[in-house]
C-alpha cells in the first residue's frame, strides 16, 4: 500500500467495486474486498488531501529548482 | 473544308481544358495580387478578380475553402493565394480556383508554413500512431513557456484549482522573437533529460502570427516529436493553429485548456472516491442482507422446522412396500399351491396303483373264468371219457372173441377179406385164450362178389 501510486489505488478501488457489483463473490471474499476497498479509498483521499498548496518551482538548465509565485510576473 | 472538319464549341473547350489539366504548374500555383470585384455569395462561395498593374484573372473560392478563411476578403486587399487554374467550360473562361488565401504581411510566412507542414506531414510527424497517451494522474507537470504573461498565470491557476497534488515545474522560455524557437526546443530536450515531469505543456498566449511564429519552426516541431514525455501544445487562441499543434500528442486551444487536459479535477476525483465507497458499502450491506435472508428462509423452511416430517414419507413408503411384499408373496404362494395340486391330481390320475388294482381285478376275473372253464372242460371230458369207455367196452374185440369171433393176421396185418390171402400164406389166428399158427390150404371166394 505504501509504494502505491494514486492511479494504482484508484484502479484497485474501482476494480473492487466492479467485482462486488458483478455479484458473484462469496461473502467472505466480499468482506475482504470491502476492507481492502476502504483502505484504497482512504489512501486516495489522503493523497488528495495531502497537497492543498501546490508546489510550483522554476527549473534551471542544471535541474535546480526555485520556488515560483504565480502572478509574480507582470500581466 | 468539309463540314465534318469543324469542331463543336464543346469539343474545342474540352480540348483547351485538357491542356490546363495536363499542365503541372497550373495544378498548384502560388499567386499574389490585389482583390477586386469581391462578391460573397449567399451560398458561401466567394467570387473576385485578382489583379496587379497589368493583368487580371477571374477567381472562385468555394464554400468549403472559404469557411476556413481567418479574415474577410475586402476590395483592394493584397492577398497570397494557393490554388489551381482551370477552365470554366460553361462561361468559356479560365479562372483561378482558390484553396487558401492569406492577407499580405504574412504571405511569405504563410507559404513557409504550408511548405513545412506538407513536408513534415509527408515525413509522418503528424501520424496519429506516434501520439502518446497522457498519464491519468500526473505527479509533475512541466510548463515550457514564458514566466511572464497570461499563459503561465492561466496554467498555474487552473492546475491549482483542479489538481494541486501535482507539482509544477516551469522551464522559463523565450516564446517570441529571435532565438525563441531554439529556446523552446532546448527546454523540451532539457525536460526530457531531467525526466521529472510526466506531462509537458508547451505554449504561449495569444498574439500576432509573427508572435506565434516560433511554434511554426521545424526545430520546435522536431523537439516535440522526439519528446518521450507526452506534450500538450497550447499556442495562442483557438483560431491559431501552428505546426507545434500538429506534432504535439494533444492540441489544446488555449493554455487554460491545456492545464485542464493535463490533470483530472480533484473535486471530481473526490466525488468518484465517495461514490465508489458508497457503492462498496451498498454492495456489501446488500450481500450481507441477502445472505441473512437466505439463512433465515432456510431456517424457517418446512423440513428444518419439522424434521420428523422429513422422514415421514420414507416410513410411509416402507410400510407400503412391506404390505405390497406380503401381498405379492401370498399371491405367489397361492399360485404355486394351485399348480402343485393340479400336478398331484394329474399324478393320481396316472397312478400305477389304480392300474394295478384294475389289473388285479382283471386277473381275478380271468382266474375265476379260467378255473370255471377248466372245471367245465374237465367235467365235459370226464363225461366224454365215460361215454368213450362205455363205447370202447362195447367195442372191445376181446369181448367179441368171448362170443366166438377171432382175428386173423398175415404178416402183422389184420385180414378182413379172404381175397387178401393166397395158398400157403402163413397166418395167425388170435383167440381169447391164445394164438393158432396155420397154413392156408384153400381159398374159396363167395360167388357173386
Amino acid at each position: 500500500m505504501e509504494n502505491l501510486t494514486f492511479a494504482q489505488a484508484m484502479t484497485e478501488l474501482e476494480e473492487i467495486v466492479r467485482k462486488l457489483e458483478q455479484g458473484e463473490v462469496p461473502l467472505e471474499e466480499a468482506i475482504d474486498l470491502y476492507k481492502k476497498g476502504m483502505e484504497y479509498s482512504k489512501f486516495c483521499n489522503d493523497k488528495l488531501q495531502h497537497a492543498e498548496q501546490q508546489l510550483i518551482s522554476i527549473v534551471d538548465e542544471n535541474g535546480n529548482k526555485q520556488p515560483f509565485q504565480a502572478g509574480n510576473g507582470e500581466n | 473544308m468539309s463540314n465534318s472538319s469543324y469542331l463543336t464549341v464543346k469539343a474545342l473547350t474540352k480540348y483547351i481544358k485538357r491542356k490546363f489539366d495536363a499542365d503541372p504548374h497550373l495544378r498548384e500555383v502560388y499567386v499574389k495580387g490585389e482583390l477586386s470585384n469581391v462578391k460573397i455569395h449567399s451560398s458561401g462561395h466567394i467570387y473576385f478578380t485578382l489583379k496587379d498593374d497589368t493583368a487580371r484573372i477571374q477567381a472562385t473560392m468555394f464554400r468549403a475553402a472559404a469557411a476556413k478563411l481567418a479574415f474577410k476578403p475586402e476590395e483592394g486587399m493584397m492577398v497570397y493565394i494557393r490554388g489551381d487554374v482551370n477552365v470554366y467550360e460553361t462561361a468559356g473562361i479560365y479562372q483561378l480556383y482558390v484553396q487558401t488565401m492569406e492577407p499580405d504581411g504574412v504571405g511569405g510566412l504563410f507559404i513557409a508554413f504550408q511548405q513545412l507542414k506538407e513536408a513534415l506531414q509527408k515525413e509522418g510527424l503528424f501520424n496519429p500512431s506516434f501520439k502518446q497517451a497522457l498519464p491519468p494522474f500526473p505527479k509533475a507537470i512541466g510548463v515550457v513557456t514564458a514566466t511572464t504573461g497570461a499563459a503561465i498565470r492561466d496554467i498555474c491557476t487552473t492546475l491549482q484549482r483542479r489538481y494541486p497534488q501535482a507539482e509544477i515545474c516551469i522551464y522559463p522560455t523565450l516564446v517570441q522573437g529571435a532565438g525563441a524557437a531554439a529556446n523552446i526546443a532546448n527546454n523540451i530536450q532539457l525536460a526530457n533529460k531531467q525526466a521529472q515531469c510526466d506531462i509537458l505543456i508547451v505554449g504561449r498566449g495569444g498574439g500576432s502570427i509573427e508572435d506565434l511564429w516560433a511554434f511554426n519552426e521545424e526545430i520546435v516541431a522536431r523537439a516535440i516529436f522526439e519528446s518521450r514525455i507526452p506534450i500538450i501544445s497550447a499556442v495562442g487562441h483557438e483560431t491559431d493553429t501552428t505546426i507545434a499543434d500538429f506534432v504535439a500528442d494533444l492540441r489544446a486551444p488555449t493554455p487554460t485548456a491545456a492545464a485542464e487536459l493535463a490533470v483530472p479535477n480533484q473535486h471530481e476525483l473526490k466525488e468518484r472516491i465517495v461514490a465508489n465507497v458508497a457503492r462498496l458499502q451498498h454492495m456489501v450491506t446488500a450481500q450481507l442482507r441477502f445472505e441473512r435472508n437466505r439463512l433465515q428462509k432456510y431456517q424457517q423452511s418446512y423440513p428444518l422446522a419439522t424434521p420428523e416430517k422429513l422422514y415421514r414419507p420414507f416410513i410411509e413408503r416402507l410400510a407400503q412396500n412391506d404390505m405390497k411384499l406380503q401381498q405379492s408373496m401370498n399371491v405367489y404362494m397361492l399360485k404355486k399351491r394351485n399348480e402343485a395340486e393340479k400336478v398331484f391330481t394329474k399324478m393320481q390320475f396316472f397312478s400305477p396303483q389304480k392300474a394295478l388294482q384294475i389289473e388285479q381285478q382283471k386277473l381275478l376275473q380271468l382266474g375265476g373264468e379260467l378255473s370255471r372253464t377248466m372245471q367245465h372242460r374237465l367235467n365235459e371230458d370226464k363225461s366224454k371219457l365215460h361215454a368213450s369207455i362205455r363205447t370202447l367196452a362195447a367195442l372191445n374185440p376181446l369181448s367179441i372173441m368171448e362170443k366166438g369171433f377171432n382175428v386173423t393176421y398175415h404178416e402183422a396185418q389184420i385180414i378182413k377179406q379172404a381175397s387178401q390171402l393166397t395158398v400157403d400164406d402163413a397166418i395167425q389166428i388170435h383167440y381169447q385164450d391164445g394164438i393158432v399158427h396155420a397154413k392156408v390150404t384153400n381159398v374159396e371166394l363167395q360167388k357173386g362178389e
Side-chain angles (χ1 to χ4, degrees):
Chain A
M1 196 64 99
E2 297 305 312
N3 307 327
L4 224 52
T5 66
F6 180 81
Q8 286 168 330
M10 249 340 238
T11 311
E12 291 288 346
L13 174 59
E14 278 166 358
E15 178 63 16
I16 283 172
V17 172
R18 194 188 60 76
K19 250 191 204 166
L20 282 178
E21 284 182 340
Q22 276 180 345
E24 283 156 18
V25 183
L27 187 62
E28 293 85 350
E29 202 183 320
I31 289 167
D32 281 352
L33 283 176
Y34 170 75
K35 281 184 196 158
K36 264 194 212 154
M38 292 307 281
E39 283 172 37
Y40 284 126
S41 78
K42 184 177 180 307
F43 177 88
C44 290
N45 256 326
D46 288 352
K47 282 253 168 179
L48 286 183
Q49 298 304 336
H50 186 61
E52 288 300 349
Q53 192 56 47
Q54 195 151 32
L55 186 63
I56 307 178
S57 45
I58 293 198
V59 188
D60 67 16
E61 304 83 42
N62 304 316
N64 298 322
K65 291 180 187 174
Q66 284 177 5
F68 174 82
Q69 222 33 74
N72 261 0
E74 47 79 55
N75 285 348
Chain B
M1 278 181 88
S2 78
N3 227 3
S4 61
S5 303
Y6 288 89
L7 291 171
T8 61
V9 176
K10 181 179 171 185
L12 177 61
T13 309
K14 275 242 181 292
Y15 177 80
I16 295 168
K17 181 174 163 54
R18 266 212 302 280
K19 290 285 167 194
F20 278 83
D21 286 339
D23 190 322
H25 298 297
L26 293 180
R27 270 188 253 153
E28 185 167 24
V29 294
Y30 291 86
V31 57
K32 60 179 177 177
E34 188 189 327
L35 292 179
S36 107
N37 285 328
V38 178
K39 284 181 190 117
I40 300 176
H41 197 265
S42 61
S43 63
H45 307 321
I46 302 172
Y47 305 97
F48 56 87
T49 307
L50 192 68
K51 63 173 188 183
D52 57 21
D53 298 343
T54 54
R56 59 182 57 219
I57 182 170
Q58 196 60 42
T60 299
M61 191 172 200
F62 289 122
R63 184 178 54 195
K68 290 178 193 157
L69 277 180
F71 70 103
K72 187 169 177 283
E74 279 161 6
E75 199 73 19
M77 207 178 239
M78 281 298 289
V79 292
Y80 289 80
I81 284 171
R82 182 175 65 89
D84 64 283
V85 178
N86 213 306
V87 175
Y88 177 33
E89 289 160 276
T90 326
I93 54 166
Y94 69 92
Q95 59 177 344
L96 180 62
Y97 291 91
V98 181
Q99 291 298 321
T100 58
M101 178 160 67
E102 291 291 328
D104 186 28
V106 293
L109 292 178
F110 176 71
I111 292 164
F113 171 82
Q114 281 298 339
Q115 286 167 347
L116 179 61
K117 187 183 150 196
E118 269 164 43
L120 294 183
Q121 180 149 36
K122 221 172 260 175
E123 208 181 312
L125 264 68
F126 308 160
N127 202 318
S129 63
F130 291 127
K131 305 293 184 201
Q132 306 179 82
L134 304 182
F137 309 104
K139 284 206 266 302
I141 295 146
V143 186
V144 177
T145 194
T147 51
T148 56
I152 187 68
R153 202 185 53 225
D154 290 347
I155 290 171
C156 287
T157 329
T158 308
L159 290 179
Q160 172 72 37
R161 175 168 51 82
R162 284 174 66 88
Y163 199 68
Q165 289 78 15
E167 186 184 345
I168 302 174
C169 302
I170 299 168
Y171 292 87
T173 307
L174 206 59
V175 292
Q176 70 184 75
N183 196 209
I184 296 167
N186 265 335
N187 280 345
I188 291 172
Q189 286 157 2
L190 181 65
N192 269 279
K193 208 157 69 186
Q194 294 180 346
Q196 290 183 337
C197 310
D198 30 27
I199 290 183
L200 279 183
I201 296 174
V202 177
R204 54 153 293 146
S208 70
I209 187 159
E210 288 90 345
D211 290 344
L212 307 184
W213 197 255
F215 293 89
N216 281 326
E217 298 275 3
E218 184 171 355
I219 184 174
V220 172
R222 296 216 177 267
I224 292 174
F225 184 74
E226 296 296 331
S227 173
R228 289 181 311 279
I229 303 172
I231 289 181
I232 303 175
S233 68
V235 185
H237 298 299
E238 181 129 28
T239 48
D240 303 317
T241 304
T242 61
I243 300 282
D245 291 323
F246 291 113
V247 194
D249 297 295
L250 189 62
R251 185 219 166 193
T254 61
T256 304
E260 280 169 354
L261 290 169
V263 294
N265 184 332
Q266 60 164 344
H267 303 295
E268 281 170 20
L269 275 181
K270 281 175 187 167
E271 277 168 23
R272 222 164 100 189
I273 294 168
V274 168
N276 272 317
V277 167
R279 280 159 78 190
L280 203 60
Q281 283 170 336
H282 171 76
M283 285 319 296
V284 170
T285 321
Q287 190 164 357
L288 273 171
R289 194 184 308 125
F290 172 76
E291 299 286 8
R292 192 175 301 128
N293 284 346
R294 208 161 63 146
L295 181 61
Q296 265 175 9
K297 216 170 76 184
Y298 287 136
Q299 282 172 339
Q300 293 163 1
S301 71
Y302 185 69
L304 283 185
T306 50
E308 70 280 0
K309 285 174 188 164
L310 201 61
Y311 42 81
R312 184 188 285 164
F314 294 99
I315 295 174
E316 281 168 352
R317 240 171 75 191
L318 179 62
Q320 226 168 30
N321 280 339
D322 258 1
M323 215 162 74
K324 269 191 205 159
L325 181 64
Q326 203 63 48
Q327 277 174 357
S328 60
M329 200 60 200
N330 286 346
V331 169
Y332 179 79
M333 289 303 285
L334 198 68
K335 193 175 148 203
K336 286 291 162 192
R337 193 172 296 139
N338 277 345
E339 273 174 18
E341 271 170 15
K342 251 184 229 167
V343 170
F344 187 66
T345 321
K346 242 186 224 173
M347 292 267 283
Q348 274 188 332
F349 187 72
F350 291 111
S351 165
Q353 208 168 358
K354 191 151 185 180
L356 204 61
Q357 275 178 3
I358 292 169
E359 294 304 323
Q360 266 175 347
Q361 222 148 26
K362 265 189 196 164
L363 188 61
L364 273 173
Q365 257 174 17
L366 283 174
E369 230 167 85
L370 185 64
S371 56
R372 268 198 307 280
T373 312
M374 257 337 247
Q375 199 61 46
H376 187 69
R377 277 279 291 279
L378 274 175
N379 290 343
E380 221 171 48
D381 282 358
K382 208 187 265 177
S383 52
K384 258 187 199 165
L385 184 62
H386 285 302
S388 293
I389 288 173
R390 271 192 309 274
T391 313
L392 210 54
L395 291 176
N396 192 354
L398 292 177
S399 58
I400 294 170
M401 275 179 219
E402 281 174 15
K403 287 170 186 167
F405 296 96
N406 53 36
V407 180
T408 309
Y409 289 84
H410 174 56
E411 293 175 345
Q413 286 207 355
I414 291 174
I415 302 299
K416 289 171 185 173
Q417 289 175 333
S419 57
Q420 283 176 291
L421 293 170
T422 57
V423 176
D424 289 335
D425 284 342
I427 56 172
Q428 292 90 40
I429 303 159
H430 288 242
Y431 292 92
Q432 194 181 8
D433 56 347
I435 300 163
V436 171
H437 299 274
K439 208 168 218 179
V440 176
T441 56
N442 195 18
V443 179
E444 277 172 42
L445 294 175
Q446 286 174 4
K447 307 274 180 47
E449 296 269 323

